Amino acid sequence: RSLWPDPGLGERARAAADVLFALTPREAATFPVPPTRRDRIRIVPQAPSTAGRPNPAAIRARLPQDGPIVLFLGRRGRLKGYPTLLDAAPLVWRAVPRATFVVAGPAWDDDIGGPPRQAGPADPRFADPRLVDLGLADEQTKLDALAACAVLCLPSRADVFPLVFVEAWTLGRPVVSGDFPGVTHVVRDGVDGLVTAVTPEALAGTLTTLLTDETLRHRLGAAGRERAARELTWAAVAEVVRSGYRDAVRVGGGAR
């Protein structure tokens, strides 16, 4: 709720609502709802936005080598773990020198939702050609990058349910997540991804484990794809929303 642009309006809307939707039980627990009214809350799943045909070769053509790709796709901020990823890259290269780190997404002036801007002045670490910046990638570039990567890495310190995880799973890619509060409702550690402490050393160790174990990567990616097909679909989203609206009409005495 600290990210709401108008907290007062948000609280009034929450108090008046006959149904509330949350992405995870952890997020639902933050809603100040009396125990007798917690049946108003519905957990709505994420669903991917992956329209189009992926072309991983388009990304490969932009890279300096043909080793495994670690992809960061998201807002470039401290809470998303972006600086930690940059610090972890040289540690990973000690064990996997042919790994390429690809980053894409906007930057903010702060970590609480400031206005989006370009990634900012070049970080000197990008002098290494194994660190590639795609800038503000369009939807096709994002899809191509997800299809090309060996692992999607978003080492968030604070998050709810990153949509990009679902998109990676849909394409059969494992994910690496930071150990943010509520992550156990998102990533099944050791099943469809790995959860790590958000330090350069811990992150580098986790990435090295995945990059040097193709069998593990494939197993985690396959489990993610099966999960996405089973429960992280637009049909599942629609059913939860439809059910919530039915209950809202029943409790509220009519549509509002």
Side-chain angles (χ1 to χ4, degrees):
R1 287 166 21 243
S2 64
L3 299 181
W4 290 354
D6 188 337
L9 175 60
E11 287 295 347
R12 291 192 298 275
R14 177 202 55 76
D18 293 312
V19 64
L20 296 166
F21 294 102
L23 291 175
T24 68
R26 169 76 185 195
E27 183 184 39
T30 69
F31 294 163
V33 175
T36 57
R37 300 297 308 279
R38 296 205 67 83
D39 60 348
R40 290 192 296 163
I41 299 175
R42 297 289 183 276
I43 307 300
V44 62
Q46 290 273 39
S49 177
T50 52
R53 177 172 296 181
N55 180 17
I59 297 298
R60 283 286 179 189
R62 302 170 65 171
L63 304 185
Q65 56 187 10
D66 60 359
I69 298 170
V70 176
L71 176 65
F72 175 95
L73 192 60
R75 178 166 61 87
R76 306 185 199 204
R78 180 181 59 84
L79 293 182
K80 291 288 187 181
Y82 178 68
T84 305
L85 180 73
L86 297 186
D87 290 339
L91 305 179
V92 173
W93 286 327
R94 294 176 186 174
V96 193
R98 294 194 62 76
T100 300
F101 285 72
V102 175
V103 301
W108 260 254
D109 292 327
D110 52 49
D111 269 311
I112 55 171
R117 55 182 171 81
Q118 292 287 345
D123 187 296
R125 286 171 287 196
F126 281 88
D128 191 311
R130 294 172 294 182
L131 189 54
V132 177
D133 186 351
L134 298 181
L136 286 169
D138 59 28
E139 289 300 310
Q140 184 61 51
T141 301
K142 181 182 79 169
L143 184 61
D144 295 344
L146 284 166
C149 75
V151 55
L152 174 78
C153 181
L154 193 68
S156 294
R157 298 176 183 274
D159 226 313
V160 180
F161 196 145
L163 176 59
V164 70
F165 284 176
V166 182
E167 294 169 339
W169 287 328
T170 299
L171 293 174
R173 299 298 181 264
V175 305
V176 169
S177 174
D179 56 350
F180 62 85
V183 69
T184 56
H185 297 299
V186 179
V187 178
R188 299 176 297 178
D189 188 29
V191 177
D192 46 37
L194 297 178
V195 178
T196 180
V198 188
T199 68
E201 295 76 16
L203 179 58
T206 300
L207 287 172
T208 299
T209 295
L210 272 178
L211 294 177
T212 57
D213 191 337
E214 185 176 7
T215 299
L216 176 61
R217 292 200 310 273
H218 287 170
R219 177 171 64 79
L220 299 181
R225 176 183 280 142
E226 187 276 333
R227 176 187 178 190
R230 183 183 69 251
E231 61 188 64
L232 302 173
T233 67
W234 285 109
V237 171
E239 180 52 39
V240 173
V241 172
R242 197 160 41 227
S243 172
Y245 271 80
R246 289 195 199 102
D247 288 348
V249 171
R250 176 180 55 80
V251 173
R256 301 187 195 180

